PDB file of all heavy atoms in Angstrom:
ATOM      1  N   PRO A 144      55.183 -57.980 -69.247  1.00  0.00           N
ATOM      2  CA  PRO A 144      56.141 -58.304 -68.228  1.00  0.00           C
ATOM      3  C   PRO A 144      55.883 -59.682 -67.663  1.00  0.00           C
ATOM      4  O   PRO A 144      54.770 -60.128 -67.808  1.00  0.00           O
ATOM      5  CB  PRO A 144      55.738 -57.116 -67.281  1.00  0.00           C
ATOM      6  CG  PRO A 144      54.333 -56.869 -67.411  1.00  0.00           C
ATOM      7  CD  PRO A 144      54.148 -56.946 -68.932  1.00  0.00           C
ATOM      8  N   PRO A 145      56.968 -60.358 -67.337  1.00  0.00           N
ATOM      9  CA  PRO A 145      56.731 -61.718 -66.727  1.00  0.00           C
ATOM     10  C   PRO A 145      55.841 -61.631 -65.473  1.00  0.00           C
ATOM     11  O   PRO A 145      55.876 -60.823 -64.784  1.00  0.00           O
ATOM     12  CB  PRO A 145      58.102 -62.221 -66.456  1.00  0.00           C
ATOM     13  CG  PRO A 145      58.988 -60.970 -66.355  1.00  0.00           C
ATOM     14  CD  PRO A 145      58.208 -59.906 -67.224  1.00  0.00           C
ATOM     15  N   VAL A 146      55.048 -62.729 -65.361  1.00  0.00           N
ATOM     16  CA  VAL A 146      54.187 -62.808 -64.260  1.00  0.00           C
ATOM     17  C   VAL A 146      54.613 -63.958 -63.391  1.00  0.00           C
ATOM     18  O   VAL A 146      54.835 -65.103 -63.938  1.00  0.00           O
ATOM     19  CB  VAL A 146      52.665 -62.957 -64.637  1.00  0.00           C
ATOM     20  CG1 VAL A 146      51.809 -63.115 -63.442  1.00  0.00           C
ATOM     21  CG2 VAL A 146      52.267 -61.812 -65.518  1.00  0.00           C
ATOM     22  N   GLU A 147      54.806 -63.808 -62.149  1.00  0.00           N
ATOM     23  CA  GLU A 147      55.259 -64.841 -61.362  1.00  0.00           C
ATOM     24  C   GLU A 147      54.106 -65.820 -60.876  1.00  0.00           C
ATOM     25  O   GLU A 147      52.998 -65.393 -60.677  1.00  0.00           O
ATOM     26  CB  GLU A 147      56.008 -64.366 -60.087  1.00  0.00           C
ATOM     27  CG  GLU A 147      57.249 -63.578 -60.463  1.00  0.00           C
ATOM     28  CD  GLU A 147      58.159 -63.389 -59.270  1.00  0.00           C
ATOM     29  OE1 GLU A 147      58.107 -64.043 -58.383  1.00  0.00           O
ATOM     30  OE2 GLU A 147      58.936 -62.469 -59.334  1.00  0.00           O
ATOM     31  N   ALA A 148      54.328 -67.114 -60.840  1.00  0.00           N
ATOM     32  CA  ALA A 148      53.384 -68.122 -60.466  1.00  0.00           C
ATOM     33  C   ALA A 148      53.004 -67.906 -59.044  1.00  0.00           C
ATOM     34  O   ALA A 148      53.743 -67.570 -58.158  1.00  0.00           O
ATOM     35  CB  ALA A 148      53.898 -69.524 -60.668  1.00  0.00           C
ATOM     36  N   GLY A 149      51.694 -68.212 -58.720  1.00  0.00           N
ATOM     37  CA  GLY A 149      50.961 -68.160 -57.552  1.00  0.00           C
ATOM     38  C   GLY A 149      51.702 -68.129 -56.202  1.00  0.00           C
ATOM     39  O   GLY A 149      52.868 -68.151 -56.208  1.00  0.00           O
ATOM     40  N   PRO A 150      51.025 -68.207 -55.065  1.00  0.00           N
ATOM     41  CA  PRO A 150      49.603 -68.215 -54.873  1.00  0.00           C
ATOM     42  C   PRO A 150      48.902 -66.903 -55.492  1.00  0.00           C
ATOM     43  O   PRO A 150      49.477 -65.910 -55.409  1.00  0.00           O
ATOM     44  CB  PRO A 150      49.339 -68.390 -53.439  1.00  0.00           C
ATOM     45  CG  PRO A 150      50.621 -67.754 -52.788  1.00  0.00           C
ATOM     46  CD  PRO A 150      51.702 -67.955 -53.753  1.00  0.00           C
ATOM     47  N   PHE A 151      47.693 -67.201 -55.883  1.00  0.00           N
ATOM     48  CA  PHE A 151      46.975 -66.084 -56.597  1.00  0.00           C
ATOM     49  C   PHE A 151      45.996 -65.488 -55.678  1.00  0.00           C
ATOM     50  O   PHE A 151      45.283 -66.210 -54.951  1.00  0.00           O
ATOM     51  CB  PHE A 151      46.341 -66.439 -57.901  1.00  0.00           C
ATOM     52  CG  PHE A 151      47.338 -67.046 -58.881  1.00  0.00           C
ATOM     53  CD1 PHE A 151      47.403 -68.400 -59.032  1.00  0.00           C
ATOM     54  CD2 PHE A 151      48.139 -66.301 -59.562  1.00  0.00           C
ATOM     55  CE1 PHE A 151      48.286 -68.890 -59.877  1.00  0.00           C
ATOM     56  CE2 PHE A 151      48.999 -66.760 -60.578  1.00  0.00           C
ATOM     57  CZ  PHE A 151      49.283 -68.122 -60.609  1.00  0.00           C
ATOM     58  N   ALA A 152      45.888 -64.133 -55.664  1.00  0.00           N
ATOM     59  CA  ALA A 152      44.824 -63.509 -54.806  1.00  0.00           C
ATOM     60  C   ALA A 152      43.566 -63.351 -55.597  1.00  0.00           C
ATOM     61  O   ALA A 152      42.487 -63.233 -54.979  1.00  0.00           O
ATOM     62  CB  ALA A 152      45.300 -62.105 -54.478  1.00  0.00           C
ATOM     63  N   SER A 153      43.516 -63.627 -56.982  1.00  0.00           N
ATOM     64  CA  SER A 153      42.328 -63.460 -57.671  1.00  0.00           C
ATOM     65  C   SER A 153      42.416 -64.250 -58.967  1.00  0.00           C
ATOM     66  O   SER A 153      43.523 -64.594 -59.440  1.00  0.00           O
ATOM     67  CB  SER A 153      42.067 -62.049 -57.914  1.00  0.00           C
ATOM     68  OG  SER A 153      42.957 -61.537 -58.925  1.00  0.00           O
ATOM     69  N   GLU A 154      41.325 -64.397 -59.693  1.00  0.00           N
ATOM     70  CA  GLU A 154      41.359 -65.008 -61.018  1.00  0.00           C
ATOM     71  C   GLU A 154      41.935 -64.083 -61.980  1.00  0.00           C
ATOM     72  O   GLU A 154      42.541 -64.579 -63.009  1.00  0.00           O
ATOM     73  CB  GLU A 154      39.811 -65.402 -61.328  1.00  0.00           C
ATOM     74  CG  GLU A 154      39.403 -66.694 -60.672  1.00  0.00           C
ATOM     75  CD  GLU A 154      38.106 -67.125 -61.129  1.00  0.00           C
ATOM     76  OE1 GLU A 154      37.397 -66.508 -61.962  1.00  0.00           O
ATOM     77  OE2 GLU A 154      37.703 -68.204 -60.692  1.00  0.00           O
ATOM     78  N   ASP A 155      41.785 -62.785 -61.782  1.00  0.00           N
ATOM     79  CA  ASP A 155      42.488 -61.786 -62.614  1.00  0.00           C
ATOM     80  C   ASP A 155      44.014 -62.050 -62.654  1.00  0.00           C
ATOM     81  O   ASP A 155      44.615 -62.139 -63.756  1.00  0.00           O
ATOM     82  CB  ASP A 155      42.199 -60.449 -62.192  1.00  0.00           C
ATOM     83  CG  ASP A 155      40.801 -59.900 -62.539  1.00  0.00           C
ATOM     84  OD1 ASP A 155      40.125 -60.657 -63.254  1.00  0.00           O
ATOM     85  OD2 ASP A 155      40.363 -58.902 -61.995  1.00  0.00           O
ATOM     86  N   GLU A 156      44.623 -62.224 -61.532  1.00  0.00           N
ATOM     87  CA  GLU A 156      46.072 -62.562 -61.526  1.00  0.00           C
ATOM     88  C   GLU A 156      46.348 -63.899 -62.253  1.00  0.00           C
ATOM     89  O   GLU A 156      47.332 -63.880 -62.893  1.00  0.00           O
ATOM     90  CB  GLU A 156      46.670 -62.632 -60.000  1.00  0.00           C
ATOM     91  CG  GLU A 156      46.783 -61.273 -59.316  1.00  0.00           C
ATOM     92  CD  GLU A 156      47.302 -61.559 -57.870  1.00  0.00           C
ATOM     93  OE1 GLU A 156      47.884 -62.562 -57.716  1.00  0.00           O
ATOM     94  OE2 GLU A 156      47.195 -60.512 -57.156  1.00  0.00           O
ATOM     95  N   LEU A 157      45.569 -64.787 -61.955  1.00  0.00           N
ATOM     96  CA  LEU A 157      45.709 -66.168 -62.664  1.00  0.00           C
ATOM     97  C   LEU A 157      45.646 -65.988 -64.187  1.00  0.00           C
ATOM     98  O   LEU A 157      46.415 -66.471 -64.981  1.00  0.00           O
ATOM     99  CB  LEU A 157      44.694 -67.221 -62.112  1.00  0.00           C
ATOM    100  CG  LEU A 157      44.850 -68.523 -62.885  1.00  0.00           C
ATOM    101  CD1 LEU A 157      46.060 -69.264 -62.886  1.00  0.00           C
ATOM    102  CD2 LEU A 157      43.694 -69.509 -62.332  1.00  0.00           C
TER     103      LEU A 157
END
Side-chain angles (χ1 to χ4, degrees):
V146 179
E147 296 195 22
F151 302 103
S153 69
E154 286 186 354
D155 286 348
E156 284 184 14
L157 175 59

